[in-house]
Amino acid sequence: MHNRHRTLPLFAVGAAAAVLAGVVGCSPQPPAGSAPAAPPPAAPLAPFESSAHPVTAQQLGASWQPGCPVSPADLRLVELRYVGMDGTAHRGQLVVNADRVPQVVAAFAQLYGMHYPIAKMTPVEHYRDASDEASMEDNNTSAFNCRPIPGKHKWSQHAFGRAVDINPLLNPQTDAQGDVQPITATRYLDRDQNIPGLIHDGDPVVRMFTTRGWTWGGHWTDPHDYQHFEMP
Ligand SMILES: [Zn+2]
């Protein structure tokens, strides 16, 4: 569809056009305003990148406290690129167990290659009291959080840094009692909706994780936890 690119406005002529040439082609520029403006084509994504760093108790804030099943020394802050809901590359951070760094990086590298849309990716300590509810309501993708399974006296795999919640507002947890987490996600209980980032059984994102040995909470019967992937 090179014709679409001929609608570039005149400001693109010159140095900017030279920069864009590799993306939009080198067609002669017609007079401005000769056709309705078309959105520019998506620029190629930067290559996937990731790095893993030690974390301190201070950095972990309220997401960690003494008595948690892993120590800060067992955890890593993974910085990686992800594709946002706008289709462009963003930098995100996940706190995961050191023994899951290769698996997490491999999975998110593949999501990046799939251009899988992720709303945001910030460690939960950035939310007041490391509130899981606040993080979920913000549709924030995250991993480590030292917390029990809701309503149970048992650690969640998040407390070990071995679980990831993806686009949690779009992909809530629901149980047989009608509980919905986050509480603002009731409009996403209809799982047949076709919304970018909303996970359906059989989606490439589910197949990608499960073929790599992860379990998807959407395959559980009670609760259904559509945001949740874990590798205990
Ligand atoms: Zn989870």
Side-chain angles (χ1 to χ4, degrees):
M1 294 293 287
H2 275 255
N3 287 342
R4 286 156 50 110
H5 308 324
R6 291 184 180 168
T7 60
L8 276 177
L10 284 176
F11 70 75
V13 177
V19 171
L20 288 168
V23 177
V24 302
C26 304
S27 323
Q29 302 292 320
S34 63
L45 290 176
F48 179 78
E49 279 182 1
S50 71
S51 56
H53 311 272
V55 285
T56 63
Q58 189 180 9
Q59 283 175 286
L60 292 170
S63 70
W64 184 88
Q65 54 272 319
C68 287
V70 297
S71 72
D74 298 321
L75 298 168
R76 297 291 181 272
L77 176 67
V78 176
E79 299 188 311
L80 50 77
R81 282 207 170 116
Y82 68 92
V83 176
M85 292 291 178
D86 60 1
T88 71
H90 296 257
R91 288 186 180 279
Q93 297 181 325
L94 290 172
V95 176
V96 303
N97 198 299
D99 65 14
R100 289 293 175 272
V101 169
Q103 291 90 340
V104 167
V105 168
F108 279 85
Q110 193 166 349
L111 287 181
Y112 190 79
M114 294 158 56
H115 292 200
Y116 190 78
I118 292 174
K120 56 170 60 178
M121 191 185 294
T122 303
V124 288
E125 62 267 22
H126 292 283
Y127 296 88
R128 186 173 188 165
D129 301 326
S131 164
D132 185 40
E133 174 68 20
S135 174
M136 288 189 290
E137 289 182 9
D138 201 27
N139 207 18
N140 179 51
T141 292
S142 71
F144 174 75
N145 195 356
C146 183
R147 54 181 168 85
I149 296 172
K152 301 213 172 120
H153 297 290
K154 189 181 169 195
W155 291 116
S156 159
Q157 284 300 320
H158 290 285
F160 299 88
R162 296 188 182 120
V164 179
D165 289 338
I166 293 185
N167 294 332
L169 177 64
L170 300 176
N171 301 296
Q173 173 180 310
T174 65
D175 67 15
Q177 283 72 48
D179 185 49
V180 181
Q181 297 185 25
I183 57 173
T184 53
T186 51
R187 64 189 182 277
Y188 301 113
L189 291 179
D190 173 4
R191 304 307 297 167
D192 293 330
Q193 298 180 90
N194 192 10
I195 298 173
L198 190 147
I199 302 170
H200 311 87
D201 195 4
D203 278 357
V205 57
V206 174
R207 294 203 307 273
M208 185 280 293
F209 274 106
T210 56
T211 57
R212 290 177 174 277
W214 296 73
T215 297
W216 180 44
H219 284 151
W220 298 341
T221 48
D222 189 29
H224 287 294
D225 196 352
Y226 298 105
Q227 63 194 250
H228 183 95
F229 296 89
E230 68 176 39
M231 188 184 276

